[in-house]
Amino acid sequence: MMKIEADRAKCDGLGMCEAMAPDFFEVGDDGTVVVLDERPGEEHRQDLAAAVDACPVLALKLRD
């Protein structure tokens, strides 16, 4: 099962992930990413991979 991992220490809160996959990411009040669903269904893989790849500080990963 796929899992989203976020390194909040690396996150700059730029919001690229939230813009691309708002059902799974948001920038919290502290200015860093919050993963809304760590274990998304496989049907979301393509959209999530694009959001992860869009992170300019490489704070996000998809794991199997």
Side-chain angles (χ1 to χ4, degrees), residues 3-58:
K3 181 178 181 186
I4 301 170
E5 293 182 357
D7 184 340
R8 293 172 52 94
K10 283 185 178 180
C11 181
D12 282 343
L14 300 172
M16 296 299 296
C17 57
E18 183 177 23
M20 296 185 75
D23 291 338
F24 298 96
F25 304 103
E26 73 178 21
V27 176
D29 292 338
D30 66 351
T32 61
V33 66
V34 175
V35 178
L36 303 175
D37 181 358
E38 290 185 349
R39 300 264 184 200
E42 189 64 32
E43 68 273 16
H44 301 289
R45 182 177 291 274
Q46 186 173 357
D47 292 337
L48 289 169
V52 167
D53 289 345
C55 180
V57 296
L58 307 175

